[in-house]
Amino acid sequence: MTAGTRNGTHHHVVIGDGLVALEFVSNLSLRRGDRLSVIGPQVVQLGRGIAYAQAPKDAAWRYAFLLNSPSDGLDPEFTDWMRDRWGDIQDTMHGRRPDWLASAKPYLARDDIGALNPPREIYGDYLRQQAQGVLDRLKRTGVQVSQVSETVVDLKVSPYGFDVLLHSGDVLSAETVDVAIGGPSNQRFQGDDGPNRYPQLSGNEQDIADRLRPGLSVCCIGSNATMLDALRLCQAVLDEPDIRFTALSTSGQLPAALYAPYPRRMMTEPDLGGPYETAKGFLAAVRGEMQKAERAGDRMAEMRAGFRKVFMEQGLATFLPDHDEARKAIGPISTWLLGGTRDAIEDFDRLTKTGQTRIITARVHQIETGRDGAVVHYEDATGAPLTHKADIVLNCAGPGRGFNFDPLTTSLINRGWVSICPVSNGQGVSA
């Protein structure tokens, strides 16, 4: 965001401490004497954000949460970084539950580190190192760099730029600002924050871990990556025979597991034709190309890579020039090409065979306190009203169509600086 300039040095502010904030910092064009302030609650760990955060050192579930994609599909440079540090990574992961090193053995036997889904915290270590290199480079060019461990609550236009209001009451003035705003938080269900009920996993991991006992039943609303994290949390704390885990999901399905092909081969690039007048016609072409790729032997990882290459090189507008029609296509394509962590999905399927995990097609309405735990009210695939009892209930449903944002994002939306697209539900910046 830019509002003006003034004589002398230029002060630029980046709000956020996650991967997007790091990308902003990495692409700045600042000169000697300019100032950069990066602001976020965990800004000393710039790049990690919530997704790749450090868990407490003594947490049983530390390093349990894995990347959705194999490292090669995420960032080949990260694969090289892991290879250089493989001895340290083995020492870190030795003796941890779930046994990630055991799952890695078939891939290590063929020296295919790039096929592994590493712990997200280890990827955070890599990002943290990258961030430090970027900040050091800026300092060497003479930029004055400050990392401010604070939360920004609002932005206001000033005659020469912006006033950045901090939770502490302090105000920073800057000519330009990059806002790495987060997406909406979980959609909420009535009663999802009662006794032994959690509206989200993030921030509640340790409390859930402390409450887990052998034989207690856990119910997750949703069947996405966060639900798979919840399963791995249970695996980290409990012996597997003691796990009782149910997922309630509108789809009734797990995401497709992402397997890196071996040996590496060229991805199948879709031939989407076009342009199309409507999202319906374009989506039919996408579905047809996915089926063609499946017949050619592609799994989800290759399909995702192929479509990503085409969209990055040509842009969605090439196929759907009408912006509203293009927005209609984003959601279905994202859902169709959704992939998940191979290790966790394989574990869920394996434990389903022993009766310890299951997934139920359900549209949840509310959760209430029962005589022994919580009772989840839902409709099944036919619309019939049913209930499910559980000792612990965790909301992993994702944002849905909700608009639950942090205070800063809410303020920017209210002022029209950020808009919500009524078609895609995405955020757009207009200032």
Side-chain angles (χ1 to χ4, degrees):
M1 293 184 177
T2 304
T5 58
R6 52 187 162 190
N7 295 330
T9 61
H10 181 95
H11 185 200
H12 183 82
V13 167
V14 174
I15 301 172
D17 52 27
L19 181 55
V20 175
L22 173 56
E23 286 297 313
F24 277 138
V25 173
S26 300
N27 290 283
L28 290 174
S29 297
L30 297 177
R31 299 174 296 181
R32 179 175 296 277
D34 288 342
R35 297 168 57 205
L36 168 66
S37 298
V38 189
I39 310 173
Q42 302 297 326
V43 74
V44 294
Q45 295 287 332
L46 177 62
R48 289 187 183 277
I50 294 175
Y52 313 113
Q54 280 185 321
K57 290 184 177 181
D58 59 348
W61 45 271
R62 189 179 187 191
Y63 300 110
F65 305 153
L66 307 181
L67 293 172
N68 292 343
S69 302
S71 65
D72 262 1
L74 181 69
D75 184 350
E77 292 184 8
F78 173 52
T79 300
D80 295 336
W81 182 92
M82 281 204 306
R83 192 182 303 277
D84 292 341
R85 294 160 179 78
W86 186 248
D88 292 338
I89 291 174
Q90 283 184 307
D91 291 343
T92 296
M93 299 305 295
H94 179 73
R96 294 188 178 274
R97 300 194 305 184
D99 192 342
W100 180 74
L101 289 175
S103 299
K105 281 183 179 180
Y107 305 96
L108 297 177
R110 64 191 193 203
D111 193 28
D112 195 6
I113 288 179
L116 302 181
N117 293 63
R120 292 207 295 268
E121 183 171 331
I122 289 179
Y123 184 57
D125 294 341
Y126 166 76
L127 293 175
R128 177 69 189 91
Q129 182 174 307
Q130 300 300 106
Q132 192 58 56
V134 171
L135 296 176
D136 288 345
R137 185 175 70 248
L138 287 169
K139 291 175 183 178
R140 287 195 299 270
T141 63
V143 176
Q144 302 176 49
V145 177
S146 299
Q147 291 174 268
V148 183
S149 299
E150 258 277 20
T151 298
V152 176
V153 295
D154 208 355
L155 283 176
K156 295 186 181 297
V157 175
S158 70
Y160 297 102
F162 295 93
D163 286 337
V164 183
L165 283 64
L166 306 183
H167 184 265
S168 64
D170 292 340
V171 178
L172 298 181
S173 296
E175 282 75 27
T176 51
V177 178
D178 283 327
V179 185
I181 56 178
S185 58
N186 256 359
Q187 58 184 300
R188 299 296 302 273
F189 298 94
Q190 182 180 339
D192 68 359
D193 58 353
N196 294 333
R197 287 168 260 164
Y198 301 90
Q200 62 183 28
L201 178 61
S202 178
N204 292 311
E205 297 94 340
Q206 191 58 57
D207 193 61
I208 295 171
D210 290 341
R211 294 178 185 273
L212 287 172
R213 297 288 184 274
L216 288 185
S217 58
V218 176
C219 174
C220 282
I221 302 172
S223 59
N224 52 22
T226 305
M227 181 277 289
L228 296 172
D229 285 347
L231 174 61
R232 291 186 69 83
L233 173 63
C234 292
Q235 291 175 286
V237 175
L238 299 172
D239 293 332
E240 283 198 348
D242 296 324
I243 293 175
R244 302 290 182 270
F245 191 97
T246 300
L248 303 178
S249 163
T250 54
S251 70
Q253 296 179 339
L254 298 175
L258 297 179
Y259 291 87
Y262 185 84
R264 296 291 188 267
R265 61 184 178 86
M266 292 297 292
M267 66 196 77
T268 302
E269 294 186 26
D271 181 8
L272 294 172
Y276 298 86
E277 293 185 1
T278 66
K280 182 178 180 180
F282 176 62
L283 290 173
V286 170
R287 178 60 82 184
E289 287 299 296
M290 290 181 66
Q291 293 169 348
K292 179 180 175 181
E294 288 175 352
R295 290 193 296 269
D298 282 0
R299 295 203 206 186
M300 183 57 71
E302 293 102 310
M303 275 192 279
R304 281 164 50 102
F307 276 95
R308 181 170 56 197
K309 185 173 186 294
V310 168
F311 289 144
M312 290 292 289
E313 291 179 351
Q314 300 185 45
L316 183 57
T318 301
F319 306 103
L320 275 171
D322 185 290
H323 288 177
D324 282 343
E325 292 298 315
R327 292 178 179 121
K328 292 177 185 177
I330 293 173
I333 292 173
S334 299
T335 300
W336 293 348
L337 296 174
L338 182 67
T341 305
R342 174 191 62 237
D343 302 45
I345 292 170
E346 288 180 348
D347 282 350
F348 192 103
D349 288 339
R350 175 173 55 81
L351 293 172
T352 295
K353 293 176 181 177
T354 60
Q356 293 161 257
T357 61
R358 60 175 174 161
I359 185 167
I360 298 173
T361 302
R363 183 173 299 278
V364 173
H365 294 295
Q366 69 175 54
I367 306 100
E368 64 180 8
T369 302
R371 183 174 300 176
D372 300 308
V375 179
V376 182
H377 293 259
Y378 69 93
E379 292 178 5
D380 68 7
T382 69
L386 296 169
T387 60
H388 176 78
K389 296 180 180 179
D391 298 296
I392 296 173
V393 177
L394 174 59
N395 181 356
C396 302
R401 299 289 299 181
F403 299 97
N404 300 314
F405 294 98
D406 62 273
L408 173 61
T409 306
T410 300
S411 175
L412 297 180
I413 291 171
N414 290 340
R415 274 181 282 165
W417 292 8
V418 172
S419 60
I420 302 298
C421 174
V423 178
S424 69
N425 208 36
Q427 302 170 42
V429 177
S430 58

